[in-house]
Amino acid sequence: MRLPAFDYHAPATLDEVFAAIGDRGRDTQLLAGGTDLLPSLRSGKRRCRQVVALKGVAGLDAIRFDPETGLEIGACALLAEVQDNPAVREHYPVLASAIRTLATVQVRHKATVVGNLCNASPCADTAPPLMALGARVRIVGPDDQHELPLDGFITGPRRTAREPEELISSVLVPPPDPALRTVFLKFSPRSKVDISAVSVAAALRLEDGLARAVGIFLGTVAPTPMRAASAAAALEGLEPTSEVIDLAARTARGECQPVTDFRASKEYKQHLVEVLTRRALRALVEGGA
Amino acid sequence: MSEARTPPAAPDPAARPVSGPPESLIGQRLPRPDARAKVTGAAIYTDDIQLPGMLYGAMLRSPVAHALIKRIDASKARALPGVKCVITGQDVPAIRYGNWRLVPELQDETVLATDKVRFIGDEVAAVAAVDKDTAEAALALIEVEYQELPAVFGVDEALADGAPAVHDEHPDNLSLRRDIDYGDLEQAFAAADYVREDTFTTHAVSHAYMEPCSALARADSDGRITLWTSTQTPYYVQCLLARTMELRENDVRVIKPAVGGGFGGKMELRPWDFCAAWMARETGRPVKFTLSREEELATGRRRHPVKITSKIAFRQDGTILGKEVTAKLDGGGYNGMGPTATFLIGNFGAMLYKVPAYRYRGIYVYTNNPPAGAMRGFGAPQALFAGEMQMNKAAEELGIDPIELRLKNAMEPGDAIPGVATIGSCGFRECLEKVRELSGWDARMAAKLPGEGLGIACYSFISGGVFNWFNTRYPFSSAEVKVFDDGTAQLTTLAADIGQGSDLILCQILAEELGLKIEDIRLVTGDTAACPQSDLGTWGSRVTLMAGNAVRDAARQVKERLAEMVSLKFDLNVIHEIACGGGHVYSKSKPSRRIPLGEAVAMAQRANRGRPLKASGYYTPRDVGLVSPAFSFGAQVADVRVDLETGLPEVQRMFTVHDCGTELNPMAVEGQLEGSIQMSLGYALSEELLMDRGRTLNATLLDYKLPVAEDMPPSVSETVETYEPEGPFGAKEAGEGLACPTAPAIAHAVHQATGYFCRELPITPVKILRHLGREI
């Protein structure tokens, strides 16, 4: 289908971005990589009167790492750049491994991490691992800026907590915690290069043989990427025996809210949540990094 | 002359025949000359061609599965600035066409719907405009009033009493029947120790060729048409376009640029070919159509879904006594190539094994699904999925190893398929023995592990079709060979390379005959106005055998003239055999008596007042039965591991041993094998056009899951040596048969690994887990 007509702005500074958006935020789409935006404009799933491209805004593509303050991924940083970033590989391997499974080489060289989050798809593969790492998003408006935890930022399919006149300038990941073990597992029943049927990111610390700071996050099994709070609670503070892990996995299965689509049925996705959660937690306990 | 141009350092290529025979090109691993251009984007496909003043076309398609067209009003579309032409079924002759010219009743399509639409996507109108956006905007302005009719979406539903008729001429939705009968079937079943009956269903998949269909037409001021189109069969398109436009065939020139795959999906005249030509004539400007991937997936031809019931009778020792097969094909809204598929499924049901008594009942059923068409293997993937799955189950129940059971019944050279053909070369038994060894079959079957399994399936396939359903009055394949006094040659043929590599193979055959190098051959092809009439195109694995034989026929005539020159020059005894090699024409017994080929050409031309030295060669099968001049065979083993928790089957390795006669170019054969495995992996495990009441739900490559490079398992293959007397240099097909065993081999391995016996393709994790007792 053909791309509908719209005005196109290519600002060079944030001030120009906000000037372009003006009071037409609800009629505006922000363009970073465009791999989700352009197909959805073509198909009519998204509509707008104007597109504001962020690619020309100086500094938005930065990836900064500081051991004291953590990682900052700019709005225009490509998935491939984040995946290959030495600091990401060393300190946040779960993020690099999740990006490795996302789409294809070509798409990863076009699409951005922030775009993946702002597209607010339930199967955004960067969301569960970034949530497991405790990431926050930096939201900039014409007059001020603030931060929100990523967990809660995505409020529904294609909906986020961002106001129409604001933009996400970066995603912030806390400083690396050497004791925090993290893992990301993704499953598609159809191909090794595919959109997830189910994905699981998990994180925990082992302190004196007990699981602490347990986080379990699920992709594709709810209207948004979700925190499996009850499943995490089933493990928190306990010795992660196989019985306890099984209970946490079954809890995750009960907690998720998948729907049947032609990629997989609701029941199969629930089953996969249990299998993948169990595998993820076992991997963490048995020596995951 | 040619010697003067040779750099002094270069060795004399003719030095070699003196010490021994020149090196043969047959069996050489030769890379494709077109590979570099394709990989770097330099190859020119139809959509790459731009002509001055060119307009862009777009098709309006039916949004409903079954309806009468009560009214079409295109006036608003015609009034849109930039729109140059709009046509509907009322504006063009309502001429029925189709590939089955031999039986005109089977030609059931018009290029645009006239009074009725029969599937979602049926072509209703076409627009030509100054750009694509305007053309698409105009589509939205065409008003069509549909009166919806009840529709049918499955074969049993379509055959039920009182079902709505898709075509008024066929109130029962039964387009045609094909029957095959031989032997005493009642006696076979009465004498049997073991009988089993199974029903299998196979699903619709897309060809998913890389290049979507594209057509560009130009009309001369005298009304003659030139059409560039992405096709496997330029000759069919020429004839059928002429018919639908009410022109003489020779007033239509069809040019086939580089084609990015066809797999059977590009062997008919399609509506956009016609609409481009018609609107080019109307407007006086070239018109181009290129389909989107969504159009291809949602409305394009696809592999026939088939419901096959197979009943087979064995003696206790595993000897097959008889077999009865019924097949119901879901044809969708039109016949397309369906009549051929209906017959071939019956053929492939009894081509691998000695079946003394056989009964086949095949029916082609109209539904309101998008029409199916020819697709790689054409009936064989479906027939062999059913047949080979059943063989494996029978082996299990008879307590006979599946390879032993096949060896017991395997076709051998000289075996007859009654009324169809006599098998010429056949290395099937050797394939079975070798694949057993290659895959470590015996050891693995003796020590089975849960979740792991080996599976086997086999195939036989045709090397070109004999039955003349197009009713051509030209040879099936033709070639013209010209030689030049600079020592080069030109091959002109309409044989259609659509990516399979036949251009190289035909040049290789000619170079071998003339003793030249590949780079000495210039190829002129893909143009009905420049190439000899005719070549039926690329389908049925026919090109190497049929066009290859035509090339040899022409080359030999040229060689005879060249041989005369050597005899004359050296005053040779009449018993001397003259050969071509190393760029020379020479006496075989006295190789020093030789002339450079270019010089021999010059001599022959001087002796004939300069008349160019050329010859035409032809091939049309005669007296080789009804189906094919030659049959390939092969056996394949899949090694599969199933994740018993997720249900995911993962193919670890494929082992293939096949008999394609002489391997003319092993690199080309390997390419076919690897492509077959990848395509069949999708057929077995991940690809399926998901339908909901005639609507395709997954019409994007995001959701139609083609296997990608990472999904490919390692593959080990060997060939067995046979020599096919009907084929050029002993060769037969290697392109389609290999597409058949992969799905049943994987399904058998999954059965060994999990107990799940697939009766309904594709094999999915959910089906496996349900078999394992999971309530999902």
Side-chain angles (χ1 to χ4, degrees):
Chain A
M1 274 189 267
R2 75 198 190 112
L3 207 54
F6 50 75
D7 293 332
Y8 181 77
H9 302 274
T13 66
L14 279 181
D15 285 346
E16 288 174 20
V17 171
F18 295 121
I21 297 174
D23 59 0
R24 286 156 298 175
R26 291 191 189 280
D27 289 329
T28 301
Q29 290 287 349
L30 300 178
L31 172 72
T35 57
D36 284 309
L37 178 63
L38 292 177
S40 64
L41 288 175
R42 274 210 177 87
S43 68
K45 279 184 195 156
R46 278 196 167 90
R47 289 165 201 284
C48 67
R49 287 170 194 268
Q50 61 174 11
V51 167
V52 178
L54 302 178
K55 287 178 284 191
V57 180
L60 274 188
D61 60 350
I63 303 170
R64 291 192 195 89
F65 175 71
D66 181 313
E68 300 299 316
T69 57
L71 176 72
E72 180 172 7
I73 301 168
C76 290
L78 303 180
L79 288 163
E81 291 169 347
V82 177
Q83 180 192 348
D84 293 338
N85 183 280
V88 172
R89 290 183 166 245
E90 185 181 346
H91 302 296
Y92 309 98
V94 67
L95 179 58
S97 75
I99 295 174
R100 163 75 185 75
T101 70
L102 195 158
T104 61
V105 174
Q106 292 87 340
V107 170
R108 293 198 291 272
H109 278 82
K110 196 88 189 146
T112 62
V113 170
V114 171
N116 186 239
L117 298 172
C118 290
N119 187 49
S121 158
C123 48
D125 279 331
T126 60
L130 282 168
M131 287 158 84
L133 290 168
R136 302 168 70 78
V137 290
R138 176 169 290 159
I139 303 177
V140 186
D143 305 317
D144 55 5
Q145 65 173 54
H146 62 290
E147 290 175 17
L148 279 183
L150 177 59
D151 181 12
F153 169 69
I154 301 174
T155 54
R158 283 191 223 110
R159 285 210 316 273
T160 68
R162 179 181 72 88
E163 295 296 329
E165 64 279 4
E166 296 175 331
L167 67 86
I168 308 305
S169 63
S170 62
V171 57
L172 306 159
V173 189
D177 172 354
L180 190 73
R181 301 174 172 205
T182 54
V183 68
F184 175 77
L185 296 179
K186 162 176 169 171
F187 183 84
S188 159
R190 307 183 301 173
S191 170
K192 291 199 177 82
V193 177
D194 195 10
I195 196 161
S196 301
V198 170
S199 65
V200 175
L204 58 75
R205 280 197 292 267
L206 278 182
E207 291 175 3
D208 304 324
L210 304 180
R212 299 287 183 191
V214 180
I216 299 172
F217 299 87
L218 308 175
T220 324
V221 289
T224 66
M226 65 170 277
R227 174 192 283 271
S230 303
L235 182 55
E236 183 70 40
L238 298 179
E239 187 189 342
T241 60
S242 58
E243 289 75 18
V244 170
I245 287 176
D246 282 349
L247 176 63
R250 281 201 303 279
T251 307
R253 175 196 185 118
E255 212 169 345
C256 66
Q257 313 143 34
V259 293
T260 294
D261 59 25
F262 50 73
R263 288 173 194 144
S265 69
K266 171 186 168 185
E267 293 76 13
Y268 185 47
K269 287 180 188 173
Q270 288 172 325
H271 171 73
L272 288 174
V273 164
E274 182 180 340
V275 170
L276 263 64
T277 304
R278 186 164 58 233
R279 287 182 181 181
L281 295 175
R282 275 193 194 152
L284 292 182
V285 169
E286 285 165 13
Chain B
M1 239 170 71
S2 61
E3 276 172 19
R5 287 209 316 238
T6 307
D12 179 2
R16 297 178 70 175
V18 182
S19 53
E23 197 177 332
S24 170
L25 285 171
I26 300 304
Q28 298 280 340
R29 299 181 60 84
L30 298 176
R32 296 261 296 271
D34 56 339
R36 189 180 173 83
K38 285 182 172 167
V39 170
T40 57
I44 306 291
Y45 296 83
T46 302
D47 189 58
D48 294 321
I49 303 171
Q50 307 278 340
L51 294 179
M54 188 174 84
L55 301 175
Y56 293 82
M59 304 291 317
L60 182 70
R61 298 171 177 280
S62 169
V64 292
H66 198 194
L68 297 175
I69 298 173
K70 303 307 286 182
R71 185 182 66 91
I72 301 187
D73 182 354
S75 53
K76 284 183 189 150
R78 289 191 173 104
L80 186 71
V83 171
K84 300 297 174 189
C85 188
V86 180
I87 53 172
T88 72
Q90 282 128 42
D91 304 316
V92 299
I95 292 172
R96 290 180 172 231
Y97 71 99
N99 277 355
W100 267 75
R101 290 201 306 187
L102 186 68
V103 185
E105 307 91 89
L106 294 173
Q107 297 180 304
D108 59 2
E109 269 179 279
T110 54
V111 285
L112 294 172
T114 50
D115 53 341
K116 194 174 178 185
V117 290
R118 295 181 173 85
F119 69 97
I120 293 173
D122 210 348
E123 290 82 3
V124 173
V127 172
V130 291
D131 57 45
K132 259 186 175 171
D133 283 355
T134 306
E136 287 194 16
L139 292 184
L141 297 176
I142 301 174
E143 293 169 12
V144 187
E145 191 185 316
Y146 295 103
Q147 180 189 329
E148 277 206 65
L149 299 169
V152 285
F153 303 105
V155 284
D156 292 327
E157 189 188 341
L159 293 170
D161 286 343
V166 179
H167 289 264
D168 293 344
E169 302 87 332
H170 297 271
D172 53 2
N173 289 320
L174 192 59
S175 170
L176 66 109
R177 298 174 177 279
R178 284 284 181 272
D179 295 349
I180 301 172
D181 289 279
Y182 51 80
D184 186 340
L185 198 71
E186 277 62 38
Q187 164 62 25
F189 280 102
D193 297 315
Y194 171 70
V195 172
R196 65 172 299 116
E197 182 177 314
D198 300 280
T199 296
F200 299 90
T201 59
T202 66
H203 60 307
V205 290
S206 169
H207 309 85
Y209 28 69
M210 272 203 263
E211 181 207 11
C213 286
S214 182
L216 163 63
R218 189 183 66 195
D220 292 341
S221 53
D222 61 8
R224 286 200 173 94
I225 298 294
T226 303
L227 178 77
W228 292 260
T229 184
S230 176
T231 183
Q232 311 177 206
T233 53
Y235 170 63
Y236 294 171
V237 174
Q238 177 196 11
C239 297
L240 296 173
L241 181 58
R243 175 180 159 81
T244 48
M245 291 189 73
E246 299 179 307
L247 294 170
R248 296 171 298 180
E249 285 177 7
N250 204 23
D251 291 338
V252 172
R253 175 184 184 186
V254 173
I255 297 174
K256 177 203 75 70
V259 171
F263 307 105
K266 296 176 179 172
M267 61 176 292
E268 302 170 67
L269 174 76
R270 303 309 310 277
W272 42 91
D273 293 319
F274 171 90
C275 293
W278 185 273
M279 294 198 291
R281 197 171 62 179
E282 289 289 303
T283 60
R285 294 170 67 167
V287 178
K288 182 161 80 183
F289 281 79
T290 298
L291 266 56
S292 68
R293 183 62 65 182
E294 288 70 21
E295 280 180 292
E296 287 280 5
L297 286 168
T299 71
R301 301 292 202 229
R302 61 243 354 246
R303 181 173 281 158
H304 292 94
V306 189
K307 188 171 179 181
I308 297 179
T309 299
S310 181
K311 189 177 171 190
I312 187 164
F314 289 92
R315 256 206 301 267
Q316 193 59 47
D317 68 356
T319 308
I320 296 173
L321 297 176
K323 189 175 178 183
E324 181 176 14
V325 173
T326 62
K328 295 177 192 168
L329 289 81
D330 177 352
Y334 298 98
N335 276 330
M337 288 297 299
T340 317
T342 312
F343 178 67
L344 284 177
I345 286 174
N347 260 195
F348 291 123
M351 197 185 272
L352 257 180
Y353 307 110
K354 300 173 197 198
V355 181
Y358 185 55
R359 176 185 296 155
Y360 171 71
R361 297 289 178 268
I363 56 172
Y364 190 85
V365 183
Y366 284 131
T367 66
N368 293 108
N369 290 320
M375 181 168 167
R376 198 176 195 172
F378 205 18
Q382 299 97 321
L384 288 169
F385 180 73
E388 290 296 278
M389 288 299 283
Q390 188 172 46
M391 280 297 273
N392 288 326
K393 195 73 181 167
E396 189 182 309
E397 298 209 341
L398 284 164
I400 301 174
D401 177 86
I403 294 181
E404 284 302 325
L405 184 67
R406 287 174 167 84
L407 283 167
K408 183 139 203 105
N409 294 288
M411 280 287 187
E412 294 176 291
D415 281 343
I417 309 171
V420 169
T422 299
I423 304 291
S425 64
C426 172
F428 186 25
R429 301 181 66 88
E430 294 82 348
C431 290
L432 284 162
E433 298 282 11
K434 256 197 183 176
V435 86
R436 169 152 71 185
E437 200 183 301
L438 200 62
S439 62
W441 178 268
D442 292 344
R444 284 285 300 274
M445 294 304 269
K448 290 183 189 169
L449 292 170
E452 295 183 15
L454 288 190
I456 185 163
C458 303
Y459 76 88
S460 63
F461 202 75
I462 58 176
S463 307
V466 171
F467 190 66
N468 187 8
W469 35 261
F470 195 71
N471 199 22
T472 184
R473 279 85 76 189
Y474 291 109
F476 278 23
S477 282
S478 311
E480 189 182 87
V481 170
K482 261 192 228 178
V483 282
F484 299 89
D485 69 0
D486 63 358
T488 64
Q490 176 171 302
L491 170 62
T492 309
T493 175
L494 197 55
D497 194 330
I498 56 165
Q500 82 271 39
S502 62
D503 279 355
L504 171 60
I505 295 293
L506 296 180
C507 287
Q508 203 180 334
I509 288 172
L510 179 58
E512 175 71 11
E513 285 287 351
L514 296 180
L516 297 176
K517 297 191 287 263
I518 294 288
E519 53 268 33
D520 295 331
I521 312 291
R522 167 198 285 269
L523 180 71
V524 176
T525 184
D527 183 342
T528 60
C531 301
Q533 268 60 36
S534 191
D535 188 284
L536 299 185
T538 289
W539 51 267
S541 292
R542 58 180 297 285
V543 180
T544 294
L545 188 141
M546 295 195 182
N549 281 335
V551 171
R552 292 194 85 186
D553 181 23
R556 284 168 173 173
Q557 296 170 52
V558 166
K559 273 168 81 173
E560 278 181 33
R561 299 287 84 73
L562 297 172
E564 289 163 9
M565 299 305 115
V566 180
S567 293
L568 284 170
K569 175 160 180 175
F570 298 104
D571 194 22
L572 296 175
N573 189 306
V574 294
I575 64 167
H576 273 249
E577 174 71 13
I578 314 291
C580 290
H584 283 68
V585 192
Y586 64 95
S587 160
K588 267 179 121 175
S589 56
K590 289 189 177 160
S592 61
R593 308 265 164 100
R594 63 196 170 104
I595 313 176
L597 184 127
E599 182 54 33
V601 173
M603 287 169 68
Q605 290 183 178
R606 275 195 294 266
N608 276 290
R609 302 180 67 81
R611 181 193 290 184
L613 182 45
K614 61 180 181 179
S616 297
Y618 304 103
Y619 180 83
T620 300
R622 284 265 172 93
D623 198 25
V624 288
L626 264 183
V627 171
S628 180
F631 299 85
S632 64
F633 293 87
Q636 192 169 61
V637 168
D639 180 357
V640 178
R641 190 175 297 159
V642 179
D643 182 328
L644 297 174
E645 280 192 321
T646 63
L648 186 74
E650 287 194 277
V651 180
Q652 305 296 307
R653 195 173 285 270
M654 298 297 299
F655 303 93
T656 309
V657 182
H658 58 126
D659 161 25
C660 59
T662 303
E663 273 190 298
L664 297 179
N665 182 349
M667 197 183 269
V669 175
E670 280 168 21
Q672 289 289 344
L673 171 67
E674 284 169 17
S676 296
I677 289 175
Q678 181 142 11
M679 205 163 185
S680 309
L681 206 62
Y683 189 49
L685 299 174
S686 64
E687 289 179 46
E688 182 173 20
L689 288 165
L690 297 166
M691 305 300 296
D692 177 29
R693 298 189 62 74
R695 185 176 306 282
T696 308
L697 300 176
N698 54 339
T700 67
L701 289 181
L702 178 65
D703 285 316
Y704 182 82
K705 287 319 295 183
L706 292 171
V708 298
E710 280 188 66
D711 296 313
M712 274 292 280
S715 157
V716 183
S717 71
E718 282 191 25
T719 53
V720 300
E721 294 276 325
T722 66
Y723 190 92
E724 171 52 50
E726 277 285 325
F729 300 101
K732 49 187 178 179
E733 84 85 30
E736 288 187 88
L738 286 163
C740 306
T742 307
I746 292 171
H748 184 215
V750 168
H751 179 55
Q752 297 281 325
T754 66
Y756 167 65
F757 185 75
C758 179
R759 291 174 192 278
E760 192 175 337
L761 279 173
I763 305 157
T764 66
V766 167
K767 291 176 187 171
I768 293 171
L769 287 182
R770 282 190 184 141
H771 172 82
L772 293 172
R774 301 262 184 193
E775 288 175 12
I776 56 165

